[in-house]
Amino acid sequence: MLINAVPQRQGAVGPRAAELPDGCVALAELAGHVLGRPVHHVRQTRSVSGVEGGVASRAELTGANRAAQLAALEAPGGPVLTIGGDCGVELVPIGVARFRHGPGLGVAWFDAHPDLNTAETSPSGAFHGMVLRSLFGEGDPEFAAAPALSPGKVALAGTRVFDPEERAAVSRGLVVESFDALTGVEKLYVHVDLDVLDPGEFAGVNYPEPGGWTIPGLVTALDALSGFDVVGAGITECVGTPREVEVLEPVLAAVGRLLDSR
């Protein structure tokens, strides 16, 4: 298993976005400790820019940051755990997994938000709210994945805040809302945005949303995926301090079990 720490913050525009790089480092260090693996720190710039083509910090997201992520995945030699940074970091590892494993790749998307906006529909211009839509090959061509994920092979979990266009994308079958509804999935990637958790359970997230899961509930849901062949995982949107992230040890251990079961 390879652990990549990707401290990208340009995909987020919220008040705590600037804390994402430090949160990434804190969580990655804990992951290395819990899983007993070295952590590879993928260099990312911290500069930001205005909205271009409906996407905030578009130049930074498509430039050196992306190139560094791609270089880090050239020869992983096994499953990869990506620690973000904002959810936009998932564009590269999931795109690479789709390229390597073919159209049977599925994704379990644990996230308070479906991240199914486009540059035209996003209320903020933040790319982390567009990344899953981009992985389906839609939206801005600079981000649209090719090959793309297949409709119906992504299951949302813990998702509770939808913009109108995101709800429309669910209604037309782009994603499903239960793991039981996944069909034809041969390999699985597991995405965990920590805002799937209730803020009262873990407050160190970039976009907290009430009504979330408990840590034991998330661990149970992750363990329930043990029947899948999990080829990669990502954990994102942490702004917690080293002391705060300690409560996430069970989540990291559960993700490690999925990746080590290959």
Side-chain angles (χ1 to χ4, degrees), residues 25-182:
V25 171
L27 186 61
E29 290 181 356
L30 182 64
H33 171 74
V34 171
L35 303 178
R37 302 296 174 92
V39 177
H40 177 213
H41 291 267
V42 180
R43 184 176 179 83
Q44 301 282 278
T45 65
R46 295 198 182 194
S47 58
V48 297
S49 59
V51 177
E52 178 186 351
V55 181
S57 295
R58 188 175 188 273
E60 287 79 7
L61 291 167
T62 57
N65 281 6
R66 182 188 293 180
Q69 265 201 284
L70 285 166
L73 291 173
E74 284 183 356
V80 178
L81 171 59
T82 298
I83 304 290
D86 64 74
C87 284
V89 303
E90 295 283 50
L91 183 70
V92 171
I94 296 178
V96 169
R98 169 62 183 85
F99 176 80
R100 288 183 172 151
H101 299 290
L105 179 75
V107 179
W109 196 262
F110 291 88
D111 200 316
H113 312 92
D115 298 343
L116 287 170
N117 271 304
T118 65
E120 289 73 29
T121 67
S122 170
S124 67
F127 178 67
H128 68 172
M130 311 176 201
V131 61
L132 184 53
R133 188 68 168 269
S134 297
L135 285 163
F136 281 107
E138 301 184 6
D140 188 321
E142 278 292 323
F143 299 95
L149 295 175
S150 301
K153 286 189 168 54
V154 176
L156 303 179
T159 309
R160 53 196 185 273
V161 181
F162 294 80
D163 290 327
E165 174 61 22
E166 294 177 311
R167 179 54 73 185
V170 176
S171 297
R172 68 179 171 91
L174 203 59
V175 301
V176 298
E177 295 186 87
S178 125
F179 297 131
D180 293 337
L182 289 173

Side-chain angles (χ1 to χ4, degrees), residues 208-231:
E209 300 286 0
W213 290 7
T214 65
I215 288 173
L218 176 56
V219 169
T220 297
L222 289 167
D223 285 338
L225 299 176
S226 61
F228 288 96
D229 186 359
V230 178
V231 297

Side-chain angles (χ1 to χ4, degrees), residues 165-255:
E165 174 61 22
E166 294 177 311
R167 179 54 73 185
V170 176
S171 297
R172 68 179 171 91
L174 203 59
V175 301
V176 298
E177 295 186 87
S178 125
F179 297 131
D180 293 337
L182 289 173
T183 58
V185 171
E186 299 166 1
K187 309 286 184 180
L188 188 71
Y189 187 100
V190 177
H191 160 79
V192 179
D193 181 331
L194 292 170
D195 67 19
V196 76
L197 297 169
D198 190 82
E201 190 80 350
F202 178 66
V205 295
N206 185 38
Y207 268 96
E209 300 286 0
W213 290 7
T214 65
I215 288 173
L218 176 56
V219 169
T220 297
L222 289 167
D223 285 338
L225 299 176
S226 61
F228 288 96
D229 186 359
V230 178
V231 297
I235 305 176
T236 64
E237 301 283 339
C238 179
V239 294
T241 66
R243 179 65 61 88
E244 288 174 317
V245 301
E246 289 177 359
V247 299
L248 298 174
E249 285 194 21
V251 175
L252 292 165
V255 171

